[in-house]
Amino acid sequence: MATFSTDKMNLMEAYRRAGYENPEVLLGELMQQNDLLRTAAVAPANKGFYNETLRAIQLGEGKVTRINGGIPDISSKTDKVSDPVISFEGASYVDIRIFDGVDDLDAVRNSEDAMNLAGFSNSWNKLLLEGTPKDAAGYTGIMARRNKASNPNVKDFGGSANLSSAYIIEWGNTGTRLLYAKHSTPGISSVDMGRVKVDAQDGSGKYWAFERDYKIMFGLSVRTENSLWRIANIDTESTDASKLLSMIIKIKNKLPSRGRTGFMYCNTDVKSLIEILTLDKASNVRTVEIENYGPVTQFLQLPIMTMDAIGSEETKVS
């Protein structure tokens, strides 16, 4: 995945970007790299900045009845799960002095903002995956929800080095959803604050800058526990990909809709292990064209998507 610097832009960098005419190209490429955002189901939270979900922990039952006999109650048991919607924000500042002698101020400013937004998006992806209530205002990330081998929705692949994970998620109203605050903008919103005076980082005083503020209001709701699975401890150097596919089949068939709206997310190392099986014509791994996505690796009907926030040197899940 491309790495973008979010350091303050200097004068030479401004001149280098003076001919940059289409910031949407960079942002478009950034979204193309973010498979999770392109595939996740998104819904407004039902309690403003919180989402409350009733989750069944025991289903009621009917019984055979007799004439003149009573009709039994169907009594189910539920628990209430509350997930917060939190705000992830950042301000992009561009020193107005760098525009001296630059013909196209907008092109240079858009270029810098696009670079800053790339860094902003990458850091948000990491929080979405790894965030814990302690460091993310009550939000619990995907990894933190599946962080123990004893969790029934975590499968231990048994590796001890070069470790990575894969997540199989079924999106939808009865599965897993990303949340946003009702009446807010889903996804990334931006506000142009115009020219502002800000403090210099070295404490030498103030300077004038153009400011754009970026914000994502988001949360995560898992209504059905079997809609979110993690395959942990995958050794990216020596894993038997065929055995990995066998485990994926077992998980797919435990998803609420048996994988009909499911996706698997992994990093490029794990994805490469699986794609090598496309060389075997007898394999059920295929590269298929999906509308609005282009070529996608697919195992049976389960698309394999890239999530680069997943590392290849993870701590062993035990």
Side-chain angles (χ1 to χ4, degrees):
M1 184 173 182
T3 301
F4 301 99
S5 172
T6 56
D7 292 339
K8 293 290 187 290
M9 182 165 57
N10 59 32
L11 185 61
M12 291 304 297
E13 182 73 357
Y15 279 114
R16 186 180 73 82
R17 298 187 195 177
Y20 190 86
E21 297 177 352
N22 191 2
E24 291 79 9
V25 171
L26 176 60
L27 297 179
E29 290 176 352
L30 180 65
M31 288 302 296
Q32 288 295 316
Q33 295 171 359
N34 198 323
D35 286 339
L36 187 141
L37 288 183
R38 297 164 63 209
T39 53
V42 181
N46 55 24
K47 298 290 184 180
F49 287 93
Y50 282 85
N51 190 79
E52 290 188 351
T53 301
L54 283 179
R55 184 169 52 197
I57 58 176
Q58 178 180 315
L59 297 179
E61 298 178 349
K63 294 181 180 179
V64 174
T65 62
R66 297 181 179 181
I67 299 299
N68 299 321
I71 300 175
D73 294 335
I74 301 176
S75 180
S76 298
K77 293 182 179 179
T78 63
D79 62 356
K80 184 180 291 185
V81 179
S82 182
D83 294 294
V85 175
I86 66 171
S87 179
F88 186 75
E89 302 181 59
S92 174
Y93 295 106
V94 183
D95 191 326
I96 65 172
R97 290 169 294 188
I98 66 173
F99 297 113
D100 294 341
V102 173
D103 292 331
D104 193 339
L105 182 151
D106 288 336
V108 174
R109 184 186 178 191
N110 287 339
S111 174
E112 175 65 3
D113 281 327
M115 292 292 184
N116 285 343
L117 184 56
F120 175 82
S121 177
N122 290 343
S123 60
W124 175 70
N125 287 345
K126 187 174 179 65
L127 181 68
L128 177 70
L129 178 68
E130 300 180 3
T132 64
K134 183 177 179 180
D135 63 20
Y139 166 76
T140 304
I142 295 171
M143 180 184 289
R145 293 170 189 251
R146 301 289 183 262
N147 62 354
K148 295 183 182 300
S150 59
N151 186 305
N153 294 99
V154 174
K155 296 298 183 183
D156 182 359
F157 203 70
S160 58
N162 312 304
L163 300 180
S164 188
S165 295
Y167 296 87
I168 299 176
I169 306 175
E170 189 164 89
W171 301 103
N173 292 334
T174 60
T176 297
R177 297 182 298 177
L178 289 182
L179 304 169
Y180 65 95
K182 189 178 293 188
H183 307 306
S184 71
T185 302
I188 299 175
S189 63
S190 66
V191 178
D192 189 339
M193 307 300 290
R195 192 176 75 161
V196 297
K197 184 172 281 189
V198 297
D199 293 319
Q201 289 182 325
D202 61 4
S204 59
K206 296 181 180 291
Y207 69 95
W208 287 99
F210 291 111
E211 177 184 353
R212 277 195 180 120
D213 288 352
Y214 296 104
K215 178 188 294 186
I216 302 175
M217 302 288 292
F218 78 100
L220 183 70
S221 171
V222 182
R223 186 168 188 179
T224 304
E225 289 297 316
N226 273 0
S227 68
L228 174 58
W229 292 77
R230 179 183 183 180
I231 303 175
N233 303 326
I234 302 172
D235 187 334
T236 58
E237 298 295 329
S238 61
T239 287
D240 183 330
S242 295
K243 291 182 179 178
L244 179 60
L245 294 184
S246 296
M247 184 171 285
I248 293 170
I249 289 173
K250 293 177 181 178
I251 293 174
K252 178 185 71 70
N253 288 324
K254 291 183 179 180
L255 295 171
S257 297
R258 307 298 181 261
R260 292 181 181 86
T261 59
F263 293 84
M264 175 171 158
Y265 302 91
C266 57
N267 67 12
T268 53
D269 290 333
V270 174
K271 193 165 185 278
S272 294
L273 291 173
I274 296 173
E275 286 186 342
I276 289 172
L277 292 180
T278 62
L279 302 175
D280 180 0
K281 299 304 182 182
S283 170
N284 283 312
V285 177
R286 298 283 186 268
T287 299
V288 299
E289 287 282 339
I290 297 180
E291 188 176 357
N292 298 325
Y293 292 96
V296 172
T297 302
Q298 190 175 61
F299 175 52
L300 300 177
Q301 80 266 35
L302 192 71
I304 311 297
M305 315 301 282
T306 302
M307 189 174 181
D308 286 323
I310 303 172
S312 288
E313 296 293 339
E314 292 183 348
T315 302
K316 185 176 177 65
V317 175
S318 59

